[in-house]
Amino acid sequence: MKKVSFIGNSHTYGENLPWLFADVCRQGGVEVYAVMCAQGGCDWQWHLTSHCALPNLRYGNYDFTVIQQKAHPFDGAEMLIEQGSPLIMEIQAVKTKAVLFNTWSEKNNPDGQKIIDDAHNMFCELFDGCLIARCGPAWHSLRGIIDLYDTDGLHQNSCGAYLNACVLAKTIFAVDPLALPDEIETKTLTRTLTKDEIRLLQKTAAVFA
């Protein structure tokens, strides 16, 4: 059993992503126990000073910790590195592998994706061994093809969450999205995806993870 923790905000807890990720991993042959410390609208600085994230990280004995910074609005590479550096040091101190959750830009801000991607790539280059889950680039590739956004144009809908889960599963455990079935065994999503949607999202995750 692998243990994975998630530290983030509503982009992490939307559509129950950590548990959807665990369900996708199980379908791919990897048993995962997932936990989450997330608060809507918060950034990494909030987590560094809260009473949840760091004690949980220090004593949870996790194999991986997925960290997701505030994305809407995205505060840029400088803030990502400033707030992320002490968080990465905490993760590395307990010999847990850090996974950077590369998020997506707003629905009405397609040009913002490159800014987010460049910042996350820069961040990972600074910290040896940090993995990056390229969910944002995967989302961007599907603009105009399938809607991944909730009605607010910011958060993930069921399709967006499944794409994120597949990217994370491949990034962390090398679960091949193309080998997954075309039915999702989960109770986390707010709607049932069609087989065509599932296959499209799996193919996209396979390219970007």
Side-chain angles (χ1 to χ4, degrees), residues 107 149-156:
K107 189 173 184 177
Y149 291 87
D150 199 358
T151 54
D152 62 3
L154 302 174
H155 295 90
Q156 58 197 337

Side-chain angles (χ1 to χ4, degrees), residues 12-161:
T12 289
Y13 66 67
E15 292 284 317
N16 304 294
L17 177 61
W19 294 278
L20 174 62
F21 157 77
D23 289 338
V24 168
C25 289
R26 291 187 192 101
Q27 285 192 289
V30 182
E31 289 294 322
V32 171
Y33 174 75
V35 302
M36 172 176 61
C37 186
Q39 176 68 32
C42 72
D43 58 13
W44 287 340
Q45 183 60 38
W46 186 91
H47 283 293
L48 286 166
T49 57
S50 77
H51 298 291
C52 174
L54 294 189
N56 183 271
L57 174 65
R58 290 166 180 164
Y59 301 106
N61 193 29
Y62 297 108
D63 297 291
F64 297 88
T65 293
V66 179
I67 55 174
Q68 177 256 312
Q69 175 63 310
K70 185 179 74 171
H72 304 142
F74 181 64
D75 292 327
E78 184 176 346
M79 188 64 71
L80 190 77
I81 294 168
E82 179 183 325
Q83 294 189 2
S85 297
L87 183 56
I88 286 288
M89 284 188 267
E90 290 281 354
I91 292 170
Q92 292 178 339
V94 293
K95 302 188 185 306
T96 297
K97 177 77 77 172
V99 183
L100 185 61
F101 188 164
N102 185 164
T103 44
W104 52 93
S105 63
E106 301 90 334
K107 189 173 184 177
N108 65 357
N109 182 27
D111 293 340
Q113 190 60 56
K114 186 177 187 305
I115 296 172
I116 292 175
D117 295 346
D118 288 349
H120 283 72
N121 289 332
M122 185 186 303
F123 183 92
C124 271
E125 289 174 0
L126 294 175
F127 300 100
D128 186 44
C130 180
L131 300 177
I132 180 168
R134 302 185 188 279
C135 298
W139 275 55
H140 192 68
S141 74
L142 291 176
R143 281 182 178 270
I145 299 173
I146 185 173
D147 192 2
L148 305 175
Y149 291 87
D150 199 358
T151 54
D152 62 3
L154 302 174
H155 295 90
Q156 58 197 337
N157 62 18
S158 294
C159 285

